[in-house]
Amino acid sequence: MFVPETIFVEREVLGAPMVRRCRSRAPDVPVVEIDDRRQLLGEGDVASSKRQLVLALRRSAFLEHCPAGTRGMACCNYLVMHFASNCPMDCRYCFLQEYLAANAPLTAFVNPEAGLAEIGAMLDAHPERQFRIGTGELADSLALDPLTGLSRELVPFFAARPNGLLELKTKTTAIEDLLDLDPCDRVVVSWSLAPEAVVATAEFGTASIAHRLDAMRRVVAAGYKVGVHLDPLIEHDGWAEGYRELIAAVAVAVPRDRLAWTSMGALRLSPGLRTRIRERFGPLPLLAGEQVPGLDGKWRDFQPLRVHMYRQIRAWLTEAFADVPLYLCMETPPVWEKVFGETPPREQLLGATLAAR
Ligand code: SF4
């Protein structure tokens, strides 16, 4: 469990149930009262911002469209909710170290009821549509759960919603609060996975693959469906064997009918993120490949290498999970066509197919 060095709490929310829960679950962590989380902006560096926890009111909207559906990328019509910002883990490729550079303090927003009201209004306004909604865009969905217990509010909410499917995306094993809840097939717990060689060199503070697979088994036994994201794919010595063995291990851990979807995505680095990674960690191998800028300004591995990796890994995924939907994240229609031999489905169609799983 992540234990922060200090918990900063906005005075306005001192009495909020989530604040009381965090304090009772981490009774030895010193608490400092502050007026507004914004007074902490600009203090400390990326690493120190991950060691503190701020409990604050979210004053802006919780819900937005996933940024993947921009600038020439095939889109799966995904919505994201921001119940937290930043992450206590420190993956070397993580875009948050650039994206949140000016807004870094690791924060849990303690008014989730406002976010759920926002989502409820949207779901009620469009009963004919299926929505797939995730919380793992600007944060890991479960990293703070042992402190906040947020999933105890999210799971019952979505379990009662026929047209909203929640995805909790994580690299942790923080599943304890999920296990006694009934998701009614409206919650998918997804793991981002990579060969152990990648985890050891690029995913600092995350759970080992063996522990992630064990957590998968436990949530499946508790009634959840799971998802698997091979994203980002990292080209390295022995990558093919590494991904083949990883897929075989998932096939042992998860019955095929409990796997909601799988996805693949390339390593993508904006120029600013490349600079930030080099400043923090030096010339890492993941910066050394032959990368080219894409339509969205992000740099990815040279297209022939991406297509080669996608096709190879797709073959293993299809062999292990024949009927399970597989999609590409943040890729162009031409790459999609080279991998699947057909144009990507229209976003509404792909989104609805996945949401109906
Ligand atoms: S677990 Fe996800 S959010 Fe956290 S550092 Fe790694 S990539 Fe970023």
Side-chain angles (χ1 to χ4, degrees):
M1 165 177 145
F2 163 64
V3 180
E5 292 175 354
T6 308
I7 296 178
F8 294 90
V9 188
E10 288 182 343
R11 283 193 186 84
E12 192 177 348
V13 295
L14 274 170
M18 187 176 285
V19 173
R20 288 202 296 270
R21 201 182 299 145
C22 285
R23 295 180 71 166
S24 71
R25 289 182 175 195
D28 298 328
V29 176
V31 173
V32 176
E33 296 178 20
I34 56 174
D35 288 323
D36 190 312
R37 92 183 264 272
R38 286 168 287 194
Q39 73 193 69
L40 301 174
L41 300 184
E43 284 193 7
D45 55 15
V46 175
S48 65
S49 73
K50 291 169 170 283
R51 295 196 299 267
Q52 322 290 342
L53 176 63
V54 181
L55 302 178
L57 196 67
R58 186 167 179 91
R59 296 167 173 89
S60 52
F62 283 76
L63 192 62
E64 66 179 37
H65 201 277
C66 172
T70 55
R71 293 192 209 160
M73 300 293 138
C75 173
C76 66
N77 211 21
Y78 193 68
L79 298 174
V80 291
M81 290 184 298
H82 302 307
F83 286 111
S85 177
N86 212 336
C87 174
M89 296 170 277
D90 202 0
C91 300
R92 293 329 189 213
Y93 51 73
C94 181
F95 83 108
L96 296 183
Q97 55 194 317
E98 184 218 1
Y99 188 81
L100 293 179
N103 191 14
L106 170 57
T107 301
F109 298 110
V110 299
N111 52 331
E113 64 286 349
L116 293 178
E118 208 176 304
I119 297 155
M122 181 194 70
L123 297 178
D124 290 345
H126 303 281
E128 76 292 352
R129 285 181 58 189
Q130 289 289 329
F131 294 90
R132 196 168 63 116
I133 304 167
T135 58
E137 175 67 15
L138 297 186
D140 181 284
S141 293
L142 293 177
L144 299 179
D145 218 46
L147 292 167
T148 65
L150 174 65
S151 58
R152 304 199 74 77
E153 300 182 42
L154 297 187
V155 173
F157 176 89
F158 279 90
R161 297 284 173 162
N163 64 330
L165 186 70
L166 172 68
E167 179 179 35
L168 299 170
K169 198 185 296 184
T170 190
K171 290 192 180 101
T172 74
T173 58
I175 56 168
E176 297 304 326
D177 273 296
L178 298 174
L179 298 178
D180 64 344
L181 303 172
D182 182 356
C184 299
D185 267 350
R186 306 312 300 155
V187 181
V188 174
V189 191
S190 290
W191 272 268
S192 301
L193 299 177
E196 280 289 8
V198 172
V199 174
T201 55
E203 296 188 351
F204 283 71
T206 64
S208 70
I209 293 300
H211 286 146
R212 289 182 223 179
L213 291 172
D214 186 54
M216 276 184 173
R217 277 185 211 99
R218 295 180 67 205
V219 297
V220 167
Y224 292 82
K225 286 193 171 181
V226 297
V228 166
H229 299 290
L230 303 178
D231 188 355
L233 294 179
I234 306 279
E235 196 260 348
H236 61 284
D237 283 348
W239 68 263
E241 194 60 10
Y243 283 103
R244 193 183 63 75
E245 287 175 0
L246 179 62
I247 292 163
V250 173
V252 171
V254 182
R256 206 164 61 191
D257 64 347
R258 301 311 294 165
L259 190 57
W261 52 70
T262 59
S263 80
M264 299 185 286
L267 178 66
R268 37 202 184 269
L269 304 171
S270 68
L273 178 55
R274 293 173 67 88
T275 302
R276 178 53 58 96
I277 294 170
R278 202 173 288 110
E279 284 168 359
R280 292 189 66 208
F281 308 115
L284 293 181
L286 60 83
L287 297 174
E290 189 177 355
Q291 291 166 340
V292 291
L295 291 171
D296 57 358
K298 294 182 176 136
W299 290 62
R300 292 167 173 78
D301 287 332
F302 194 44
Q303 194 193 99
L305 172 62
R306 299 207 311 274
V307 170
H308 173 59
M309 292 182 75
Y310 286 145
R311 282 180 174 160
Q312 182 65 83
I313 294 168
R314 179 197 171 209
W316 292 320
L317 286 170
T318 307
E319 188 182 333
F321 310 112
D323 304 323
V324 176
L326 165 64
Y327 63 93
L328 299 181
C329 188
M330 294 190 96
E331 269 299 357
T332 60
V335 168
W336 188 291
E337 285 166 30
K338 286 185 173 122
V339 176
F340 293 101
E342 57 190 33
T343 52
R346 283 188 309 109
E347 65 184 65
Q348 255 85 2
L349 185 62
L350 177 59
T353 305
L354 295 167
R357 292 290 295 172

